[in-house]
Amino acid sequence: MTQPTGQQASGTEVEMVTTMLRIAADIDRLDELSDQQPLPSSALRATPALLRTAEGLRARAEQAADLKQCPVLRRLVEDDHQRRRQK
């Protein structure tokens, strides 16, 4: 019995998942920068709500990859996991 290869993702789906993961990575970077250089204004810090948003975006990207069972989307999610582990 062969394994199903999954579905092909459209260009729009790939772009959406890429954008979600990029926004999540940008929020992570904001958090890193605010930890490195504490500023008097809390307006420039990554708030808990922003950090939850990043996790929510990652969860949605992973869900999209799982639903489509698309190797391209799965690879995007795995690359994000790897990048986060390296930090």
Side-chain angles (χ1 to χ4, degrees), residues 43-80:
L44 296 176
R45 295 195 62 79
T47 64
L50 276 176
L51 297 173
R52 286 191 303 274
T53 297
E55 288 307 311
L57 288 168
R58 285 190 174 93
R60 297 222 22 190
E62 191 158 350
Q63 182 182 35
D66 290 345
L67 287 173
K68 291 287 281 192
Q69 294 194 354
C70 172
V72 172
L73 297 181
R74 174 55 42 207
R75 183 69 186 163
L76 290 170
V77 170
E78 288 173 3
D79 288 350
D80 181 67

Side-chain angles (χ1 to χ4, degrees), residues 33-46:
L33 290 172
S34 63
D35 286 345
Q36 291 173 12
Q37 183 65 42
L39 300 171
S41 171
S42 63
L44 296 176
R45 295 195 62 79

Side-chain angles (χ1 to χ4, degrees), residues 12-28:
T12 301
E13 289 169 324
V14 171
E15 186 174 358
M16 290 173 71
V17 168
T18 301
T19 300
M20 284 188 266
L21 295 173
R22 187 178 60 242
I23 291 168
D26 287 346
I27 292 170
D28 290 345

